[in-house]
Structure formats: structure tokens, C-alpha cells
Amino acid sequence: MIDSVSIKEYIKTKFDMDLVGIAKASALASEPSGHRSEDLLPGAKSIIVFGRALADGAVQAMFRAHEDKKIQAQSSYAAYCDDLAPNFLLINDTFNISSYIEKEFGAVAMPLPFNVQQSMVWDNYPGKFFADPYGQGMPLDIYKAALAAGLGEFGWSNRFLTEEFGPRQMLSAVITTLELDADKPFEGKICLGESCGICAKLCPTGAIPSHCSGCAAEKNVEGKSCAVAAINPRSCTVAALALRKEFQGRVPVPDLIMNNEPSDGELAAAFEKKPINGLSIEHYPRYLCERCLVYCPAGKWKERFADTGFTKICQ
């Protein structure tokens, strides 16, 4: 058996990762056909999950946009937490880690695409935003692999939480035929559940129901079960894609949908009317809502944001 500890330490050091864990390839054996490790890579033995924390300074830029209406601050969050830097850097890292596994150990390594939670392109609708990666065309649920690899758990918002950073990190993964000692699935508790409810309270369109609503679902991996909100993806889309003026960012948008629970037809009609711009990689105005990420109290949020004066909302 290859020394898994040394490999994880190498990935952390060489590739400057904040989080590294290893899951058995069989950990996702109960996933739908076509989305299991061996469906994607015959002979798969392990899934290496790794990630990097988002910079606190870039995260707090969203407080300025939300709380002070300094919309230009969204540019920092967009570039360094959403669109560009973490995506492109992690894409390169994922490829290089795959190459390292193949060259160093003679195994086969498959780099995985990631970051569905920031991807809401219309040609994949009815993608479930971050609540359903397979609806968005992702081959493997990296967050479930991260839970199996011991990195954290799902929060009520459906975002993946770690003890170190809450939901404020970006994760990627590599499936490999290399047999490694797997970490134990995460067994702790990070999400405060009903005693918190911040993600539901701050969701501007009510896409995240409250705990008392009874609108719950479950994420299950290797005997670990996490209760999550049964998110309304259409409601989420209204804000995320800036389908009315109150959700516009740096680019003004018209009022296209005035209710928070549109039908598929209403969404399709609204999207056809959206203006085109060159300020994002998707080329249309959207709104970096992200309240369930920036305001989640997990990951020492109070010490890093509230106590420093970065946010005016003290939970």
C-alpha cells in the first residue's frame, strides 16, 4: 500500500492546498449509474479530494456590496472567489496532481471538473444550481466524495462545510487506480441546523426553506447522513441570474420576473430577454448573491468577519 499520508502532505505542500482527503472509490457506489467512480474510470480504487480556502478579503467584499451597496466590491469576489482565479488555478492544479500520480506511481488518474455551484448556464437547465450537480452535467459529486474523505459535511444550505472554513473553499478531485489508505468519513457536526437558520433567513427569494417548513432532503454517503434543505432551484435562479432590478450587480438589468417561484416557461422567456455583456465568463449580467456562503457562521465566521468589523450583521 502506498503511503497515503506522504501523498497528502506532498499535495498540500507542493500545490499549496488547504484541504486534502482520500476516499475509497467505492464510497460513491450508491450514486446513480454513470456517476460512480468505476463508471468513469474502470479499476478505480481511490478518490483524492483537495481544495483551497477563499481569501477572507475577497469574501468580505460581498459584505460591502450587500451591506453598503458598494457594488464595485463584487468585482473582487467575482474574480477571486467565483469566476477566475480559484477556478483556473484549481483546474491547473487538478491536472498537475493527476500527472503527478501517473508519473510517480504508474497509476491512472482522472481529473474531474468541478464548481457546479457557480455555474448556472441556461443550456443545462433545469439544472438544480448547487443542489444537483448531476443536473448540471457533473460526472461525480465531489462534495459527497469530500464527506467520505473526512473533510466536512453538508450544511442546511446544501453547501459543503469544513470546520476550518465553513462553506468558503473550493474543492476538486482526482479518481485514480492507485490504491490508497482512505480517511474515515466525517463524523462531526458543523452545521448548527435549526438553532442557526441564517441561510434560510437571508435567502432573498426564499429558495432555502426554513427547518420548520418540513422541506428537507438527505445526503447519504457511507453511512453518514446529512439533512439539507429541499431547495427551490427556480427561486434561486431569480436572484442568481439577476432576473429583476433588485438583484442587479455592476450591470443594470430589467425586471423580467416579479415573483419568486417562476415556472420553467417563465424562466426560459426571461432568459431570452437578458442583455449580453462582457463582464463575466458567461457573458450575461448576473447577481453574485452568495449570502448562504458569505454569512454562514461555520468556519470561525465570527472571529474572521464579525469581530473584525467586516460585516454589520452580528449573528
Side-chain angles (χ1 to χ4, degrees), residues 147 153-159 161 189 191-194 199 211 215-220 224-230:
L147 190 156
E153 67 163 356
F154 287 91
W156 180 251
S157 67
N158 280 252
R159 291 191 181 273
L161 311 181
K189 188 63 180 172
C191 182
L192 300 177
E194 191 170 358
C199 55
H211 288 77
C215 298
E218 284 191 351
K219 301 279 190 180
N220 297 292
K224 168 75 174 184
S225 179
C226 297
V228 298

Side-chain angles (χ1 to χ4, degrees), residues 50-194:
F50 44 88
R52 190 174 287 120
L54 303 179
D56 287 352
V59 170
Q60 72 83 33
M62 288 301 283
F63 299 144
R64 305 285 69 72
H66 288 320
E67 298 174 8
D68 302 333
K69 306 305 178 184
K70 294 179 180 177
I71 300 301
Q72 294 303 319
Q74 281 188 327
S75 298
S76 177
Y77 185 90
Y80 294 102
C81 297
D82 189 272
D83 284 347
L84 302 176
N87 291 287
F88 294 157
L89 287 172
L90 206 50
I91 285 173
N92 290 335
D93 291 333
T94 303
F95 175 79
N96 289 330
I97 289 171
S98 296
S99 297
Y100 159 71
I101 295 296
E102 294 192 341
K103 292 176 181 177
E104 187 71 19
F105 302 102
V108 179
M110 177 185 177
L112 293 169
F114 62 96
N115 200 27
V116 66
Q117 66 196 48
Q118 280 89 22
S119 175
M120 189 55 187
V121 290
W122 192 262
D123 56 4
N124 279 334
Y125 196 81
K128 303 298 185 184
F129 209 45
F130 58 84
D132 178 13
Y134 301 146
Q136 289 278 343
M138 294 293 103
L140 190 86
D141 192 329
I142 290 177
Y143 290 166
K144 284 187 176 179
L147 190 156
L151 296 183
E153 67 163 356
F154 287 91
W156 180 251
S157 67
N158 280 252
R159 291 191 181 273
F160 190 78
L161 311 181
T162 65
E163 291 180 314
E164 300 93 326
F165 312 111
R168 292 167 287 274
Q169 65 269 309
M170 196 168 289
L171 299 175
S172 186
V174 168
I175 304 173
T176 178
T177 57
L178 187 64
E179 189 167 5
L180 298 168
D181 285 326
D183 295 296
K184 293 181 179 179
F186 186 79
E187 296 179 351
K189 188 63 180 172
I190 302 173
C191 182
L192 300 177
E194 191 170 358

